[in-house]
Amino acid sequence: MSKYIFITGGVVSNLGKGITGVALGRILIERGIKVNFQRFDPRLNFDLGLINPIQYGEVFVSHDGVESALALGYIERFLDIESDKNNYLTTGKILADMLINNDTKHDENTGMSIQQVPHMTSEIKRRMKSYDDSADVVIIEIGGTVGDMDNAIYLEAVRQFQNELTEDNYIHIHCTLVPYMESTEELKTKPTQTSVRCLNSYGLQPDVIVCRTNKDITLSDHIKRKIAMFCNLKSSDFVIQNKDANNIYEVPLNLAEEGLDRIAIGKLSLPCNALNLNKWKEMINGMDEDLPAINIAIVGKYTENQYSYLSITEGLRHACFNSKHKAKITLVSSEDIEMYGVKDILKPFDAIVVPGGFGDKGIEGMILAVNYARENKIPFLGICLGMQLSVIEFARNVAKLKDATSTEFNVKTKNPVINKMEENKWNNFEKAMRLGDYKCNLKDGTLARRIYGQPEIIERHRHRYEFNNEYREKFEDLGMVVSGVNSDKNLVEIIEYKDHPFFVASQFHPEFKSRPYRPHPLFVGLVNGAVANLKKPTINQ
Ligand code: GLN
């Protein structure tokens, strides 16, 4: 049976309790402990497939095709796991499963009422045990802020669950904010005290309080003692400081220095190895400010929000740690390119990424970016929509099919080079999606085959439209290389060009599988292409 680390948060939202959880998870993994992580999200959305990335950031897709919030990406990247449908659960999903699919439905059929307590709490507890056999420790993060109406049901489930566990089988970490008041030059502990009192009112007592501080100030012993005393902790050692970090990969180092892992291991009586974070530290050295920079543009349509392309940004950073270069990533609005011209905007960049997206907003600017990268031999990676637009660019400018487009943008086009699969044409919106893992066979002698170093790969998808095979032969004759294909359904997965330093576009999303220790081969390929380009004299444009 697993042991459990419960993480709750108070005072304000977004204070980094998820990062605290995954960072602690990483430290435990470095000690040889097997860790899994579960986040409960109080939202009523069934999944996050339809949320607006400009408002909420990217949608992260697990290998089994669940569309979740970007928090799941942190879980995968820090813990190096392949998440599944139980790692990220919304209230909407739990309710739908309860009321439509499973045993509670049975209660209704037998004339019983269905209630939040005990039915929903039991369902939440059942979900909390999802990884019981496969992990030594399961970290459970309760989304939302203590005191919110919509996370109360989870706090009740946690209370019941803790009550069923013996003391050495769980630890409760509560994350709060300790703000610094400029006017009086002091750190304030009252919000923390109030938050813990609120948590107490649900019958929960934290074992550790992790205090986020928004100034470069060390919590003094005095402050720690004060928090410990007013929040019922036996010692100020259980008050941990979580300072704002320059980059999130430093958080495991900061928390280890504060001894958070030692407290968890002690309370849980976990057998483990001595801590060695050298590999992690070495990786972070690859982010040194003084390293030579690579300027990478992500030309997209959701650039108003820096989190819209979070996994791509992280994947590029991983590849840069690896090549000991600093990733300087700029989100470029494709609508700006339409308005102000591609050359002036993209000239400063060493590599270009055209990412995924839905709908026709900004696509012409993205096509201009693809064309610029192809003709000027700038290292290029197209992802999902980026691949589809690469095909459209080639169709228009090389195959001279001027009206070529995707039926997503114009159903009546005479040249639907990107189209829905025949079997999906009559399906409704949801079912027509290719979501999650699909196999891809790589053609011998191609760039993709070389950079992956293996003939078959599995990658994650999230799209409705595909390369239209009716154009494949013609485009191949004109120089397009189809280097990756899903043989089960005969679908084009990767295209590339030979006379280019690095031009690869994939129908799948490599960003979901990139890890700090194992940067994704396509990002490594792009960054290496950019590094090679840096050494060349300026390109004649
Ligand atoms: N809109 C395109 C499709 O549905 C691409 C989706 C994406 O980039 N994730 O196929």
Side-chain angles (χ1 to χ4, degrees):
M1 195 188 123
S2 306
K3 303 202 176 222
Y4 290 87
I5 298 178
F6 296 97
I7 304 205
T8 52
V11 185
V12 290
S13 58
N14 272 343
L15 50 63
K17 60 183 175 350
I19 300 295
T20 301
V22 293
L24 173 59
R26 181 75 244 169
I27 312 171
L28 298 181
I29 290 169
E30 300 288 348
R31 281 178 172 277
I33 296 166
K34 214 158 170 233
V35 180
N36 211 322
F37 193 108
Q38 207 173 25
R39 177 178 157 90
F40 287 92
D41 180 342
R43 274 186 269 215
L44 285 178
N45 301 62
F46 177 75
D47 62 41
L48 300 191
L50 295 178
I51 58 158
N52 178 357
I54 296 177
Q55 204 164 351
Y56 301 102
E58 78 174 7
V59 173
F60 191 92
V61 182
S62 56
H63 79 92
D64 54 353
V66 179
E67 295 170 288
S68 300
L70 52 81
L72 191 61
Y74 289 119
I75 297 174
E76 290 216 6
R77 287 188 284 273
F78 272 80
L79 307 188
D80 197 359
I81 56 169
E82 289 256 296
S83 65
D84 62 29
K85 61 183 181 346
N86 281 315
N87 287 92
Y88 193 96
L89 288 159
T90 62
T91 302
K93 168 91 172 102
I94 293 170
L95 281 174
D97 284 355
M98 251 175 81
L99 299 177
I100 299 161
N101 304 327
N102 77 9
D103 297 352
T104 327
K105 182 82 181 156
H106 174 76
D107 281 358
E108 195 182 32
N109 290 341
T110 55
M112 303 276 284
S113 65
I114 307 172
Q115 292 175 272
Q116 289 207 37
V117 183
H119 298 101
M120 192 171 169
T121 43
S122 300
E123 185 59 21
I124 294 169
K125 282 190 287 176
R126 188 176 74 80
R127 301 299 182 116
M128 286 175 174
K129 294 172 195 157
S130 303
Y131 302 108
D132 222 19
D133 297 325
S134 56
D136 301 324
V137 171
V138 182
I139 302 176
I140 294 179
E141 180 199 353
I142 305 301
T145 308
V146 167
D148 287 351
M149 198 182 272
D150 51 3
N151 81 349
I153 189 72
Y154 294 104
L155 297 180
E156 170 58 14
V158 169
R159 187 194 65 77
Q160 291 181 18
F161 194 18
Q162 287 185 0
N163 209 30
E164 291 165 20
L165 295 167
T166 54
E167 273 296 318
D168 62 347
N169 272 324
Y170 77 90
I171 181 166
H172 188 144
I173 298 175
H174 188 58
C175 301
T176 69
L177 180 72
V178 178
Y180 180 75
M181 293 267 292
E182 294 282 351
S183 53
T184 51
E185 296 182 354
E186 54 180 352
L187 287 163
K188 305 304 287 181
T189 66
K190 192 75 82 191
T192 298
Q193 296 177 39
T194 312
S195 170
V196 170
R197 206 163 298 142
C198 180
L199 189 63
N200 291 157
S201 72
Y202 291 98
L204 291 166
Q205 169 61 40
D207 300 292
V208 182
I209 299 175
V210 173
C211 302
R212 179 79 182 262
T213 52
N214 57 357
K215 264 228 144 193
D216 190 17
I217 270 185
T218 314
L219 289 187
S220 63
D221 279 350
H222 163 71
I223 297 275
K224 286 190 173 186
R225 274 203 304 276
K226 195 167 161 188
I227 292 173
M229 183 181 65
F230 287 114
C231 300
N232 307 318
L233 300 183
K234 287 268 180 279
S235 147
S236 60
D237 292 345
F238 301 133
V239 180
I240 298 287
Q241 163 183 268
N242 184 16
K243 255 195 297 190
D244 283 359
N246 289 332
N247 97 52
I248 49 164
Y249 296 105
E250 279 172 13
V251 180
L253 304 180
N254 296 348
L255 294 179
E257 203 170 306
E258 285 276 307
L260 182 59
D261 55 319
R262 285 197 304 275
I263 298 172
I265 288 160
K267 168 91 167 47
L268 300 174
S269 309
L270 269 174
C272 62
N273 307 329
L275 182 58
N276 183 349
L277 282 170
N278 288 345
K279 199 173 160 198
W280 195 261
K281 278 186 193 150
E282 196 187 312
M283 178 193 84
I284 291 177
N285 290 340
M287 293 186 285
D288 196 332
E289 279 301 301
D290 300 332
L291 290 168
I294 307 176
N295 283 302
I296 307 172
I298 300 180
V299 181
K301 50 163 100 191
Y302 311 124
T303 48
E304 293 96 318
N305 183 340
Q306 55 158 329
Y307 293 106
S308 300
Y309 304 111
L310 181 66
S311 293
I312 297 178
T313 313
E314 292 306 296
L316 292 169
R317 289 175 78 199
H318 302 158
C320 283
F321 307 157
N322 191 52
S323 79
K324 300 274 183 274
H325 278 77
K326 193 173 72 186
K328 244 185 112 204
I329 300 163
T330 310
L331 302 188
V332 175
S333 155
S334 55
E335 285 171 304
D336 283 355
I337 288 186
E338 284 167 26
M339 217 174 325
Y340 304 112
V342 64
K343 214 166 153 184
D344 286 345
I345 295 184
L346 292 185
K347 210 170 173 178
F349 294 102
D350 307 312
I352 296 168
V353 177
V354 173
F358 291 83
D360 62 0
K361 176 183 166 262
I363 56 153
E364 293 303 327
M366 292 161 107
I367 293 172
L368 287 172
V370 177
N371 176 258
Y372 176 85
R374 185 175 60 78
E375 289 188 346
N376 293 291
K377 308 220 182 296
I378 312 291
F380 173 87
L381 179 62
I383 297 176
C384 205
L385 178 67
M387 180 267 200
Q388 299 173 355
L389 298 178
S390 302
V391 173
I392 294 170
E393 189 278 327
F394 185 90
R396 289 183 187 175
N397 299 319
V398 180
K400 304 293 177 206
L401 306 171
K402 289 291 165 208
D403 59 347
T405 191
S406 160
T407 49
E408 179 177 10
F409 316 131
N410 178 5
V411 269
K412 294 200 184 118
T413 176
K414 290 215 184 63
N415 283 298
V417 293
I418 302 293
N419 202 356
K420 269 192 183 168
M421 258 194 303
E422 205 51 47
E423 65 188 73
N424 276 340
K425 281 201 180 131
W426 311 109
N427 266 337
N428 67 26
F429 195 68
E430 292 296 329
K431 298 228 178 67
M433 269 232 162
R434 210 152 50 110
L435 270 172
D437 275 356
Y438 283 85
K439 260 195 274 184
C440 168
N441 298 92
L442 302 175
K443 196 167 157 194
D444 281 344
T446 60
L447 179 60
R449 173 71 180 81
R450 184 160 57 75
I451 58 181
Y452 272 100
Q454 61 195 69
E456 190 182 282
I457 52 168
I458 294 175
E459 293 280 6
R460 295 187 203 169
H461 292 248
R462 179 176 179 244
H463 55 99
R464 270 174 221 115
Y465 295 83
E466 306 282 353
F467 184 112
N468 185 345
N469 279 328
E470 281 171 27
Y471 292 86
R472 187 158 148 192
E473 213 180 302
K474 181 180 170 116
F475 290 178
E476 284 182 311
D477 288 345
L478 288 169
M480 179 185 280
V481 178
V482 172
S483 49
V485 171
N486 173 289
S487 344
D488 298 340
K489 291 182 182 281
N490 191 25
L491 295 170
V492 172
E493 301 282 31
I494 310 177
I495 62 159
E496 59 187 55
Y497 301 127
K498 272 203 194 98
D499 55 347
H500 195 286
F502 186 92
F503 189 112
V504 177
S506 67
Q507 186 55 81
F508 50 79
H509 289 267
E511 68 271 28
F512 298 139
K513 290 183 78 170
S514 189
R515 304 284 186 265
Y517 284 166
R518 285 183 295 117
H520 191 284
L522 292 187
F523 291 117
V524 173
L526 180 77
V527 165
N528 289 346
V531 171
N533 239 14
L534 284 183
K535 294 180 187 124
K536 285 193 194 145
T538 330
I539 305 155
N540 216 0
Q541 289 163 25

